[in-house]
Amino acid sequence: MAEAASSTPGLILGIESSCDETAAAVVRRDGVVLANVIASQIALHAHYGGVVPELASREHLTNIAPVVHAAMREAGCGFADIEAVAVTEGPGLAGALLVGLMYAKGLALSLGKPLIAVNHLEGHIHAVLLDAARLASPLPQPILALVVSGGHTHLYLANTEEQVWRYRNVGRTVDDAAGEAFDKVAKLLGLGYPGGPWIEALAVSGDPTAVPFGPIHVKPKAHRAAESATPQFLFSFSGLKTAVLRYVQTHPLQPGIVARRAALAALRDPTPADALPLCDTETRNLIASFQRAVVEDLVRKTFAAAKAVGARSVIVSGGVAANAELRRRFTQTAAQHGLPVAFPGRGMATDNAAMIAAAAWPRLLAGQIASAELTAEPSLALGR
Ligand code: KG4
Ligand code: ZN
């Protein structure tokens, strides 16, 4: 991904620490990523089957300075070449966000450079726009962006007004995020953390039609708050997770789960390839059927929303957008609807700082500089 630094300035240093990745990146104004360094805490949290906030903050503290310096080295530039420092303001874990934010604030202050505050969700959207910009053929607007990660399953209608990006929230999950469902089902089946890559790898060898999980309907009555002038497309994944649990309870899968969990726990660094021979046909079919149900739901509601709001292109971003089956089904359905669809490039779907620097560029150009009072916003929303 890294390219040789040009002697022309116009670089933003991005910093991201909202969850369990400490990341720093250097992105040029024309969208070229000069460095994209990520220190993952996956191994640390895998033991607990989820992110432990206190541990995450401590790990960010240890990693933040080395990660920023590694990014500067990789980009082949010095702090004097940086035009601005961008940082994730929220949403995310408060203690984790504060580490990146305080580091970025201190750095910007000491360098005398502007500080740009970026919404993490906007970052995920710009992970795709960054690539589109490099292709020099921007997506037609308005763009419907599905941000599908461990914490979010949200739909935004995005467009630019005088070079400034505007977002309108037109969909959300009423309970679990899609990535959270992948993580919980993987845990339930005795697989590793985070669950998405495990489910994806194992689903390939299962029959996705074996377990007939049907379409997911969300009762609008239970979510009256969503009834506003803005249409809301509602997702829900906790029922599907419960359906998987019920399937496990009513089929003879439990002994296999216990054995698999123990076998993987005995390995130093277990991978999905280690789990494959530990999964019988019924388990593989269940995994493939679960993934099929999630992907079908995301595709169906996203394209229904695209039609309803008059979107002219579609973006899918966030950790779950790394999933190859999801990309295949979105690409297929987008072609049927005659809509262009775009995904993040390699390594840009899951959390990183290049997406934060990319989202910061239009903000810097529009003069949207953060104030000295900037602080972490764990529940920060995006758009109207
Ligand atoms: O965007 P991200 O790195 O962090 C958040 O902002 O949440 O997304 C992490 C989520 C996790 O739930 C993980 O299981 C899921 O993305 N994920 C995947 C895949 N890779 C990561 N889900 C499905 N298939 C994948 N290949
Ligand atoms: Zn994320």
Side-chain angles (χ1 to χ4, degrees), residues 16 18-19 91 120-121 124 147-152 318-319 349-352 355:
E16 151 68 32
S18 65
C19 191
H120 181 83
L121 302 169
H124 274 304
V147 181
V148 66
S149 68
H152 293 85
T350 45
D351 290 351
N352 65 83
M355 67 186 202

Side-chain angles (χ1 to χ4, degrees), residues 26-315:
V26 179
V27 175
R28 218 163 60 190
R29 186 173 168 169
D30 59 4
V32 172
V33 179
L34 298 182
N36 191 15
V37 176
I38 302 168
S40 172
Q41 304 178 7
I42 282 178
L44 176 72
H45 300 288
H47 180 67
Y48 303 95
V51 179
V52 183
E54 172 70 16
L55 291 182
S57 311
R58 286 167 184 265
E59 197 70 4
H60 284 309
L61 268 177
T62 308
N63 291 337
I64 188 83
V67 163
V68 168
H69 284 96
M72 297 302 292
R73 253 196 325 275
E74 193 174 312
C77 64
F79 284 123
D81 302 320
I82 296 294
E83 210 154 301
V85 179
V87 68
T88 307
E89 172 188 14
L93 301 168
L97 285 165
L98 278 171
V99 176
L101 207 118
M102 289 305 148
Y103 188 92
K105 250 188 179 184
L107 187 62
L109 192 70
S110 65
L111 296 173
K113 311 270 178 175
L115 179 70
I116 314 290
V118 175
N119 183 311
H120 181 83
L121 302 169
E122 183 179 20
H124 274 304
I125 294 171
H126 281 263
V128 182
L129 297 175
L130 175 72
D131 267 11
R134 287 173 68 181
L135 290 173
S137 59
L139 291 164
Q141 298 183 6
I143 303 168
L144 184 67
L146 170 66
V147 181
V148 66
S149 68
H152 293 85
T153 304
H154 278 51
L155 285 167
Y156 298 96
L157 194 63
N159 69 297
T160 44
E161 280 170 29
E162 291 166 10
Q163 312 295 321
V164 177
W165 281 93
R166 309 267 178 219
Y167 307 93
R168 185 153 62 95
N169 179 222
V170 295
R172 65 187 171 87
T173 177
V174 298
D175 42 52
D176 292 354
E180 191 179 354
F182 272 92
D183 296 340
K184 286 178 175 171
V185 165
K187 191 171 179 178
L188 172 70
L189 296 177
L191 303 170
Y193 171 85
W198 290 73
I199 301 267
E200 174 175 11
L202 295 166
V204 175
S205 50
D207 173 2
T209 62
V211 186
F213 295 126
I216 303 167
H217 298 291
V218 184
K219 287 196 199 94
K221 238 195 300 177
H223 302 284
R224 286 203 181 279
E227 291 170 12
S228 64
T230 302
Q232 281 283 326
F233 291 84
L234 302 176
F235 297 95
S236 164
F237 295 103
S238 90
L240 178 60
K241 174 198 66 192
T242 307
V244 173
L245 174 64
R246 209 161 288 141
Y247 187 94
V248 167
Q249 288 167 340
T250 53
H251 294 76
L253 298 181
Q254 202 58 45
I257 292 172
V258 173
R260 188 159 53 245
R261 195 171 282 136
L264 293 174
L267 299 176
R268 209 186 126 98
D269 199 5
T271 66
D274 297 315
L276 189 60
L278 304 169
C279 293
D280 60 12
T281 305
E282 198 167 18
T283 302
R284 292 178 197 187
N285 289 348
L286 176 61
I287 290 169
S289 301
F290 162 77
Q291 177 176 274
R292 190 251 322 138
V294 175
V295 170
E296 265 176 8
D297 188 66
L298 293 171
V299 167
R300 187 171 61 86
K301 288 181 184 153
T302 302
F303 285 97
K307 193 170 173 198
V309 300
R312 295 185 57 226
S313 59
V314 172
I315 276 179

Side-chain angles (χ1 to χ4, degrees), residues 340-353:
V341 64
F343 308 94
R346 206 176 147 70
M348 295 284 280
T350 45
D351 290 351
N352 65 83

